[in-house]
Amino acid sequence: MKDILVFISDQHSWQQQGYAGDPIVRTPNLDRLAAEGTVMHNNCTSYPLCVPARMSMMSGQLASRCGVMSNMAALDSNRVTFAHCLNAGGYETVLCGRMHFVGPDQRHGFSARIAGEQTPIFHNRPNEAFARERGVHDRTPQGGPSCLSIIGAGNSPTLEYDRYVVNQALEYLKADHDRPQFLCVGTYGPHHPFVAPKELYEYYYDRVSVPEASFAYPEHPAIEGAILCDKDPEVVRAVRAAYYGMVEFEDQQIGLVYDAFQEYLKRTGHEGIFVYVSDHGEQAGYRGYYGKSTFYDPSVHTPMIFVGDGIQKGRALQGATSLMDLGPTLCQIAGASPLPDADGVSLYPQLRGEPEDLKRMVISEAGGDIGFKSKAFSYGQMVKTGPYKFIHYHGYDDQDVMFDLEKDPEESQNVIQDHRQLADQMREYLAKSCLSADRIRENAEKLDQNLKILGRCDFDSEERWHAPECARNYPEHMVSSRLTRS
């Protein structure tokens, strides 16, 4: 049985990687993994938002089918995850850091946790004490009323948390363990706040580009006003400098863990597999947007790399793959029971050299909940196959969009009129794969009613990380800042 280590970051777009073609970002460790293993060049998140993406990944099911379509929703503890499958198959399943489980079940198949969670664990979100601990000066964790509240150079809870998680992982790998190991290392970066170490922020500030052409691209009416937008070139440049710096910082952490895992395998004589994934991407000023929750490439196109014994070296799979494929793939690698009723598929045959399905369709969803501010229901779907991406929003049937990413990687031209037959095939695939919009709305209304009580609870958990003093009140402790908005 092979030892397995999965390193999952938060909010890392495919584009910001050296091996993916970015001429500016420095990611030597990810580039090394790509050279030593197999890369999924067209991997998509199943939902461009933290909790739904991760619960979809853990269950191998679409967010609508596993019942988690909000950052406030909890995965059913009766639902099998790939961690359950690995544990039942003889693995010690260890969570080191972040998975963003919501509710009292903080394990969902993990037998142990060696580093706590960064974000709030229960539905009540940050109470006053939690906010003080994070240096938060409004309601939202990590930076006030919006992710643009703090931009610049210095330290932050994100950077401190990731150092803590990686140190715990390194300590764990220094010891020998009798049972086969599945270790999941979960960091918070490069998720905002957009604060990078000083030397990295300053390195990228004059090197990053400002994608001004994208500011004029058509905006889908379903997301108009729903996504944070600021097209000020100064803001965009500062955000991108910080984001690039955070990506390089994450690359450094990945390198530390990868090297420690290789040393562990060499010392114990075990075979092993190392995986790098991220839950979703980050707009980082593209189209003037920040965060995720869109179907544009910076938000949904994410890294996935497998390296290790039996994995082909230097191979790049070009067909569409999904974050939901991680679980089925790991279960087959481990010889464990397959995930029941999964929407994802095992990529292990392709990792070992078998041909890939270049016509495969994969789905991403967004919305499906009741908006906190508007109290309105929204639901969107995306299908990716080959170079084509199809986008549909409930209630906007006559405004479907298709992009040819091979000819138009900027996603600036809707070509659906030229591909009506393919669009119909994609609609049919969505209809047979996803719950109906009416069923999703019904589930969203039930969650909204439950949250009226759950959100008033004051539960906490010892599995939550407590920020050290050096990471609190971090705007005042920033070393340098080209731009600070508060």
Side-chain angles (χ1 to χ4, degrees), residues 262-280:
Q262 297 308 306
E263 179 59 33
Y264 175 82
L265 297 177
K266 181 180 179 180
R267 187 178 71 248
T268 59
H270 297 175
E271 292 188 332
I273 303 288
F274 184 94
V275 186
Y276 175 66
V277 295
S278 196
D279 55 357
H280 52 73

Side-chain angles (χ1 to χ4, degrees), residues 25 44 49 90 97 111 154 213 233 241 245 253 260 274 279 298 309 325 370 421 435 473:
V25 73
C44 297
L49 187 66
S111 55
Q253 309 313 306
F274 184 94
D279 55 357
D309 292 290
D325 298 338
I370 304 296
Q421 184 176 1
L435 298 183
N473 302 314

Side-chain angles (χ1 to χ4, degrees), residues 101-104 106 113 117 119-125 130 460-465:
F101 291 136
V102 175
Q106 286 295 302
R113 188 175 206 155
E117 175 61 68
T119 42
I121 286 173
F122 290 96
H123 303 83
N124 53 319
R125 313 304 285 172
F130 183 87
D460 204 346
S461 170
E462 288 305 312
E463 295 201 39
R464 183 168 63 78
W465 174 70

Side-chain angles (χ1 to χ4, degrees), residues 19-75:
Y19 73 86
D22 191 298
I24 299 170
V25 73
R26 299 181 297 192
T27 55
N29 292 298
L30 288 171
D31 299 347
R32 174 169 52 130
L33 296 182
E36 295 179 0
T38 296
V39 172
M40 287 48 179
H41 258 261
N42 285 289
N43 189 66
C44 297
T45 184
S46 48
Y47 193 114
L49 187 66
C50 299
V51 176
R54 289 160 179 269
M55 300 308 102
S56 175
M57 178 190 76
M58 293 296 300
S59 67
Q61 294 185 323
L62 289 163
S64 58
R65 295 190 64 233
C66 74
V68 180
M69 303 195 74
S70 163
N71 270 353
M72 304 288 278
L75 185 67

